[in-house]
Amino acid sequence: MVSAVSSDNSADRAALIHREVIQLAVLVFIAVGAFFVTKAVAANNRNLSMRNADEWYQRGEQLAEAGRLDQAVDAFRRAMVRNRTNRTYLLALSRALAQKRDYESARTVLLTVRASEPEDAEVNLELARVSAARQDVTEALRFFRDALYAPWRPDQGERRRAIRLELIRFLLTHDQASRAQAELVAASVDSPDDVAHHLELADLFNQAGDGHNALAHFQRVLRLAPENVAALLGAGRAAFDLGEYPLARRYLREVPSDVDAAREIREVADQVVSRDPIAGRIGARERHRRLEANLTYLQQRLVDCNAQHGQSVSGGRYALQNDLQSFRERLRRSPTLDQDTIEAGVDLIDRTERDAIASCGSSTAVDRALVLIAKQHGAASQ
Amino acid sequence: VTTPETARQLRLREHQLFLILSIVVGVLAGLSAVLFTVAIEQASYRLFGLAPSRARLFAVPPILSLVTGVLLARFFPDVRGSGVPQTEAAYRLEGGAIPGRVPIGKFITGVLCIGSGHSMGREGPSVQIGAGLASVVGRWLRLPPRRIRELVPVGAAGALAAAFNTPVAAVLFALEEIIGDMNAALLGSAVVASVASVIVERSILGNEPLFHVPAYRLVHPAELLAYAALGVIGGLISLLFTKVLLGLRALCLRLPSRSRILQSAVGGLIIGALLVFNPAVMGVGYEYVDQALNGGLLLKTMVLLCFLKLGATIVSYVSGNAGGIFAPSLYIGAMAGGAAGMIVRQVAPFPTADPGAYALVGMGTLFAGIIRAPMTSVFMIFEITQDYQILVPLMVANMLSFVISRRYQPVSVYHALLHQDGIHLPLPGTQAAASGRTARQIMRTRILPISPELSTEQAWQQIVDRDEPGYLVGTADHLFGVVTREQLAEWRTIGKSTDRIGSLVNRHFVHVHPDHPLDIVLDRLSEARGVLPVVSRADATRVEGVVTADSLLAARANRSADA
């Protein structure tokens, strides 16, 4: 640097520069000292800011609990401004906004964080919930998946499983049963082998329409706790839905008699098992008897139905009655039945039940059992 | 005796040392900006606490304004307001000389004013503090005037870089506003200081952008029309802000100088009342800007805050407090933009971005319209948010706002503020032409002004035998105006013979500065009815000479004789 003393002599200039180097060194020393002082002051200020942020957060929580959501949002925002790196504040803010049904703002807040932390499971989960509330199924699914496949620590398996179950419930409520089944299979793999988890999975499999897996999980529960009523009932229902009526009856009979939910289905299962003419491991006589009994019951049902409603007999109904009568006579004539005759009988049962239900409405356990029998054996009218 | 080679090495070493000095100045400026920010936050917390009562909101600003009013009137008269125009004037007119009391005074009064709730920004004061420190360092090192002058924008860039965490915008601002030349040779030093400052700032406060903003983008091409409309709105609000600010400040300046302390206190009182009504206009207010950028405010809230902040900032500024207008311009812009974004979202027949995107662009438009640094504005928004997706809409809106603001308010707010203080900065054209013949070489330095205390009749008697078209009224150190022979004759005939001439003369007179080139001198001379005062740039009432037709001819004759 050229000194203020205007000198053309380079020797003087050299001396001056030497002096300036010393001055610069002093300046650097001052700057370093100032740096540490400023750093200490700033750290102190940062701590104060953190404390203030926490105080605002606590207030926000209290306000949110009291239902004062506008003020809660304001408090959470103040907390966030003072400590931007704290995800708890941010998530609290987004939840408060979502509670206010201000889903757009909640989403904006969460997307801001996601921009810097795209793999944050909690943020993605909150985003998924907000998207679900906004009825944006595609986006919700994307964020649920991002949350699910975020880098989880080994000790966070339970949390991850809970998110998967939340995703499954979301899929079920949005008619995405096949996707839900796929997630359920994945959930089964990393699920702990205990009663509560198997019951939960079994219930979800049931809702997803996967009776086999539902039954398997109920059975797993029964192996762990043979007298678990929920599992007995669930297994009975699952087996019933799968057409495994003897199995269903077995489970349902184990359910205490005071459980109303089991009573009706147990009756129907009993009727199916005792009335099915095509059931395996029964003799020809029994097959004949069951068919005969079913047709007799239906003949009487049509009579009752006509009497109950005072209806004049229609052409179709008349034909059905004739068919029933002629089929019964046919049974009387031939004590042994071939397969075609039995199937024709089941088909007639099905047609008659449908007609009776259509005109007379409510049906008994026997009626429901007969419909199920026909359905199970693929009656011609199906 | 040294050889030419040694001399060359010494010169090289001199440049290297200046570069090192730029780094040190950048570090010091950055530290001062960080300390200033922290001190304001602490002051605000100590004065108001976390959730202040109404009484406290009302009482703190006037009490503290009274204190700062005394400090500003008695000890630090040159640190009122932003600090950017003063820095500019120091660089362009004073050879970069900024007294040591300026950075100290600005720090103290800035912390008290902004911390006590005045609606002002911390960036302008940071610029003045950084530039002041640079000037002090330069003088301590006994640098030549040229080098001291060069250090001023270097310190300013360093301080702004740390205050905003925006190294590029800070360099651009130093070039665009302080130096007034985007091709300045000081670019290297400003960059070095800015980078050093930001490194220091980030190592202390962390690398957090000033605002956290989602990744906004242009959702539909037609949205550019909405952004253009926002640019127009931004330009109009900038105009409103600038005009009202300058108008009210001119009124306040006309009041007796002994009322300055009272003016500060009254300003504080109004701010106290505003804070009771809505505390969101307090201080810098970046937390509300953050909310607007993230879609956290309602339409009516943003409209209200836009105008409240505008009014509060004007009150704080014109009442003579210490604080800047950077932050308020960003605040007002964010609120105006956010509100515009909400309306666009409701009425536009095409998909639009979140209102936060409009708030972001709105910040830029107000900055471009008020501060008049469009390049700085674009880069500042980019750096503050670290998001370049919105760059095109930002440029469109900024340019429109800038053009509208400049069309209806040709002089930028900083230059106009200096003008009100009697400081006339040279325009870039003037600087370029100054290498040719200027008013200094043409003017006559022998001046015979008429005393303003004389009556019209007495003045007439004094000039009746002189054969000049016009006369200066006042003293050499305080020019009141210019009066013509015809004006004096007219005042005598309409019954103003006994009136003081100082009270009759028009104080807005045509003048030039010593560095004005010949063509401007000739233009102004034709408007000036034959007598054109040449006044100092640093004090427009101090006469340095006078240009008349005769002095022009005399200068011409002298030149011919020299040739």
Side-chain angles (χ1 to χ4, degrees):
Chain A
M1 280 162 278
V2 183
S3 165
V5 180
S6 175
S7 171
D8 293 333
N9 187 316
S10 294
D12 288 348
R13 288 168 62 119
L16 289 170
I17 286 178
H18 181 69
R19 190 203 75 214
E20 284 160 355
V21 168
I22 294 170
Q23 286 180 309
L24 261 181
V26 172
L27 265 183
V28 169
F29 182 74
I30 292 170
V32 170
F35 173 80
F36 285 109
V37 170
T38 309
K39 189 160 187 166
V41 173
N44 183 40
N45 190 60
R46 178 82 186 140
N47 289 339
L48 174 69
S49 190
M50 296 274 196
R51 284 201 302 276
N52 287 346
D54 197 52
E55 201 167 321
W56 278 117
Y57 169 70
Q58 302 294 347
R59 282 184 191 200
E61 288 283 284
Q62 287 166 5
L63 290 163
E65 272 179 33
R68 291 155 70 185
L69 292 172
D70 284 334
Q71 289 165 287
V73 164
D74 186 51
F76 288 137
R77 280 194 192 279
R78 283 168 186 269
M80 240 181 74
V81 168
R82 283 164 177 80
N83 184 359
R84 295 174 189 278
T85 53
N86 192 317
R87 281 166 55 262
T88 308
Y89 302 163
L90 185 128
L91 293 174
L93 171 64
S94 69
R95 283 188 198 117
L97 285 166
Q99 271 183 284
K100 269 180 68 186
R101 297 184 184 277
D102 185 357
Y103 300 121
E104 288 301 323
S105 298
R107 181 174 176 270
T108 305
V109 168
L110 292 165
L111 284 176
T112 309
V113 191
R114 194 178 183 274
S116 56
E117 296 174 56
E119 292 185 337
D120 187 301
E122 290 296 331
V123 172
N124 279 305
L125 177 62
E126 288 299 325
L127 269 168
R129 287 172 178 163
V130 169
S131 301
R134 292 170 64 236
Q135 302 298 323
D136 188 341
V137 177
T138 310
E139 191 178 90
L141 279 177
R142 181 162 68 90
F143 288 131
F144 266 125
R145 294 244 156 79
D146 287 348
L148 209 50
Y149 299 111
W152 292 90
R153 290 197 313 272
D155 61 330
Q156 291 178 308
E158 184 57 28
R159 180 83 186 108
R160 184 167 187 247
R161 217 183 68 82
I163 293 174
R164 194 187 291 281
L165 294 179
E166 191 174 338
L167 166 62
I168 291 164
R169 285 189 203 96
F170 171 76
L171 289 168
L172 289 173
T173 53
H174 287 85
D175 300 326
Q176 308 259 336
S178 57
R179 282 181 173 175
Q181 284 175 12
E183 293 296 338
L184 275 164
V185 171
S188 306
V189 173
D190 63 359
S191 189
D193 190 20
D194 62 40
V195 170
H197 284 109
H198 282 299
L199 274 179
E200 190 170 23
L201 283 174
D203 182 47
L204 289 170
F205 268 119
N206 238 343
Q207 290 179 44
D210 185 348
H212 287 288
N213 272 311
L215 181 60
H217 280 280
F218 282 126
Q219 286 172 330
R220 181 67 203 155
V221 173
L222 291 173
R223 276 199 288 278
L224 295 168
E227 294 183 355
N228 187 298
V229 176
L232 286 168
L233 183 58
R237 279 182 169 161
F240 185 92
D241 291 339
L242 288 169
E244 302 276 354
Y245 299 108
L247 187 61
R249 188 171 66 165
R250 205 180 80 202
Y251 288 127
L252 292 169
R253 281 184 173 175
E254 298 291 321
V255 177
S257 55
D258 56 342
V259 178
D260 290 341
R263 193 174 301 131
E264 189 180 340
I265 190 171
R266 188 168 50 209
E267 280 177 27
V268 176
D270 281 343
Q271 290 297 332
V272 171
V273 172
S274 62
R275 283 179 174 271
D276 186 359
I278 312 183
R281 285 183 284 181
I282 56 171
R285 183 182 294 274
E286 176 62 11
R287 232 177 273 286
H288 191 282
R289 188 195 67 74
R290 288 183 180 189
L291 197 54
E292 170 69 31
N294 291 341
L295 293 174
T296 307
Y297 170 81
L298 286 172
Q299 217 171 7
Q300 185 57 45
R301 175 147 162 77
L302 286 183
V303 171
D304 291 346
C305 192
N306 289 339
Q308 183 185 342
H309 295 282
Q311 296 163 332
S312 59
V313 180
S314 64
R317 173 74 55 82
Y318 187 76
L320 264 178
Q321 283 176 327
N322 278 343
D323 287 347
L324 283 169
Q325 186 57 37
S326 55
F327 208 99
R328 286 187 67 194
E329 285 169 7
R330 188 173 155 194
L331 288 177
R332 253 181 252 121
R333 283 198 300 274
S334 52
T336 55
L337 300 172
D338 58 24
Q339 187 65 21
D340 287 345
T341 307
I342 296 171
E343 285 178 5
V346 170
D347 185 47
L348 181 59
I349 289 168
D350 183 55
R351 282 189 288 125
T352 311
E353 262 305 340
R354 283 174 183 281
D355 185 77
I357 289 168
S359 56
C360 299
S362 61
S363 54
T364 63
V366 176
D367 295 314
R368 290 177 59 198
L370 291 177
V371 170
L372 288 171
I373 289 166
K375 187 179 170 186
Q376 191 179 23
H377 298 301
S381 61
Q382 293 277 317
Chain B
V1 178
T2 52
T3 61
E5 176 59 21
T6 313
R8 194 188 66 77
Q9 285 178 351
L10 283 171
R11 273 198 301 277
L12 185 65
R13 197 168 171 209
E14 178 191 328
H15 288 303
Q16 290 168 341
L17 284 174
F18 189 75
L19 212 57
I20 294 169
L21 183 58
S22 299
I23 295 172
V24 175
V25 164
V27 169
L28 288 174
L31 288 173
S32 69
V34 170
L35 211 53
F36 189 58
T37 304
V38 169
I40 289 171
E41 285 178 13
Q42 286 279 346
S44 182
Y45 180 70
R46 303 289 168 206
L47 291 169
F48 291 104
L50 205 58
S53 64
R54 282 167 167 255
R56 207 163 175 180
L57 286 170
F58 184 71
V60 168
I63 293 170
L64 266 290
S65 297
L66 209 56
V67 175
T68 53
V70 172
L71 289 174
L72 289 164
R74 299 276 159 79
F75 304 105
F76 311 113
D78 34 13
V79 301
R80 288 173 184 278
S82 161
V84 173
Q86 294 96 317
T87 305
E88 203 174 339
Y91 173 75
R92 298 213 199 167
L93 305 177
E94 313 282 353
I98 301 174
R101 69 169 186 278
V102 168
I104 296 168
K106 193 70 172 194
F107 191 96
I108 296 168
T109 56
V111 167
L112 291 178
C113 285
I114 302 169
S116 68
H118 273 288
S119 172
M120 302 180 105
R122 64 187 184 220
E123 293 77 16
S126 295
V127 165
Q128 195 177 14
I129 293 167
L133 284 177
S135 178
V136 169
V137 166
R139 275 179 282 139
W140 181 63
L141 289 169
R142 282 188 273 163
L143 300 183
R146 178 176 64 90
R147 288 297 196 191
I148 293 175
R149 183 171 182 263
E150 285 174 352
L151 274 184
V152 166
V154 170
L160 188 63
F164 263 141
N165 192 5
T166 56
V168 179
V171 172
L172 284 173
F173 183 77
L175 300 182
E176 205 170 21
E177 187 63 40
I178 308 286
I179 302 175
D181 178 7
M182 293 293 279
N183 299 311
L186 279 174
L187 177 66
S189 296
V191 168
V192 164
S194 183
V195 169
S197 168
V198 165
I199 288 171
V200 165
E201 185 257 349
R202 289 183 183 176
S203 67
I204 294 173
L205 299 179
N207 186 18
E208 281 284 305
L210 196 54
F211 304 113
H212 281 239
V213 184
Y216 291 129
R217 62 193 171 84
L218 191 68
V219 174
H220 191 277
E223 251 197 316
L224 274 177
L225 292 173
Y227 284 114
L230 178 57
V232 173
I233 293 167
L236 294 175
I237 296 176
S238 302
L239 263 181
L240 177 71
F241 177 83
T242 309
K243 295 276 187 194
V244 177
L245 176 78
L246 293 173
L248 285 178
R249 189 166 184 268
L251 282 176
C252 289
L253 287 175
R254 276 185 215 156
L255 298 171
S257 58
R258 62 179 176 278
S259 69
R260 293 276 160 82
I261 298 172
L262 191 66
Q263 285 181 35
S264 291
V266 170
L269 205 63
I270 298 171
I271 291 299
L274 277 173
L275 292 186
V276 171
F277 177 64
N278 195 329
V281 295
M282 181 192 289
V284 178
Y286 281 154
E287 64 182 90
Y288 293 96
V289 175
D290 203 280
Q291 289 193 29
L293 291 175
N294 288 285
L297 297 175
L298 300 173
L299 174 61
K300 63 179 180 185
T301 308
M302 286 195 280
V303 172
L304 180 71
L305 288 183
C306 173
F307 289 103
L308 274 183
K309 187 74 177 178
L310 192 144
T313 307
I314 289 171
V315 168
S316 292
Y317 204 97
V318 303
S319 57
N321 290 287
I325 54 174
F326 267 46
S329 66
L330 295 180
Y331 187 113
I332 298 165
M335 296 305 154
M342 283 199 169
I343 294 168
V344 168
R345 172 162 272 197
Q346 284 168 13
V347 301
F350 46 82
T352 65
D354 285 339
Y358 288 81
L360 187 61
V361 173
M363 280 167 58
T365 60
L366 263 286
F367 192 87
I370 294 173
I371 310 295
R372 297 283 185 81
M375 287 301 290
T376 306
S377 160
V378 169
F379 277 88
M380 183 171 284
I381 300 300
F382 166 55
E383 284 187 289
I384 284 174
T385 59
Q386 298 182 0
D387 178 11
Y388 61 89
Q389 298 282 341
I390 208 77
L391 213 57
V392 173
L394 184 65
M395 287 165 75
V396 169
N398 274 13
M399 281 303 146
L400 276 167
S401 173
F402 177 71
V403 167
I404 288 170
S405 176
R406 197 174 61 173
R407 169 74 180 77
Y408 296 102
Q409 169 66 36
V411 182
S412 78
V413 69
Y414 286 146
H415 288 199
L417 288 167
L418 284 175
H419 214 280
Q420 288 185 335
D421 293 335
I423 300 168
H424 296 190
L425 290 184
L427 296 171
T430 310
Q431 287 174 302
S435 51
R437 259 174 109 67
T438 62
R440 190 188 305 283
Q441 291 144 323
I442 301 162
M443 70 186 186
R444 191 183 72 210
T445 52
R446 196 174 64 85
I447 309 157
L448 293 171
I450 300 170
S451 168
E453 301 304 324
L454 295 181
S455 67
T456 305
E457 185 57 38
Q458 287 170 322
W460 176 260
Q461 294 304 326
Q462 199 173 80
I463 60 112
V464 70
D465 295 330
R466 286 160 63 178
D467 183 23
E468 290 164 37
Y471 307 92
L472 305 188
V473 177
T475 64
D477 287 336
H478 192 105
L479 183 64
F480 276 62
V482 178
V483 66
T484 60
R485 202 176 182 81
E486 291 76 27
Q487 279 176 318
L488 277 175
E490 186 190 342
W491 290 338
R492 286 178 72 219
T493 57
I494 60 171
K496 292 185 175 175
S497 303
T498 55
D499 287 10
R500 268 180 67 246
I501 193 164
S503 65
L504 294 172
V505 75
N506 183 0
R507 300 203 177 195
H508 295 284
F509 51 87
V510 180
H511 63 267
V512 288
H513 297 291
D515 60 347
H516 267 136
L518 185 58
D519 53 345
I520 291 179
V521 173
L522 291 173
D523 280 352
R524 303 247 173 116
L525 187 60
S526 64
E527 295 170 32
R529 300 181 191 176
V531 59
L532 181 64
V534 182
V535 297
S536 161
R537 281 199 179 276
D539 181 359
T541 64
R542 198 170 74 234
V543 188
E544 298 198 358
V546 63
V547 175
T548 61
D550 289 346
S551 71
L552 267 175
L553 289 172
R556 172 79 184 158
N558 286 344
R559 200 175 183 199
S560 301
D562 290 346

